[in-house]
Amino acid sequence: YEISACLVGSEMCIRDRALSVLDLLEDIGPVPSALRKTIMAQKDVETLSRWLKAAAKAGSLEQFQQEMTLQR
């Protein structure tokens, strides 16, 4: 997955990043509703970019959630 350049703060860019994170996580397994809501509610592009990288490397949803917690 390529992280495309976009205007920081662009609603479309933010939404696309969040959906990309979810797309990668769905390859691992069903994404719980609470996690989905947390990802879609995130409005910081840099945070979503970190989550996208973490989702690409994660072997499980639990591993991804641990990475999310560590990055806060």
Side-chain angles (χ1 to χ4, degrees), residues 8-33:
V8 174
S10 162
E11 282 297 317
M12 182 176 255
C13 175
I14 290 168
R15 182 178 168 276
D16 287 348
R17 290 271 165 95
L19 290 173
S20 293
V21 171
L22 289 172
D23 187 42
L24 285 172
L25 293 177
E26 287 167 353
D27 286 345
I28 298 170
V31 179
S33 177

Side-chain angles (χ1 to χ4, degrees), residues 15-52:
R15 182 178 168 276
D16 287 348
R17 290 271 165 95
L19 290 173
S20 293
V21 171
L22 289 172
D23 187 42
L24 285 172
L25 293 177
E26 287 167 353
D27 286 345
I28 298 170
V31 179
S33 177
L35 179 56
R36 181 179 300 278
K37 287 178 185 177
T38 298
I39 293 167
M40 292 306 295
Q42 180 57 250
K43 300 302 180 199
D44 181 67
V45 174
E46 289 180 21
T47 298
L48 288 167
S49 292
R50 286 193 305 272
W51 289 357
L52 185 60

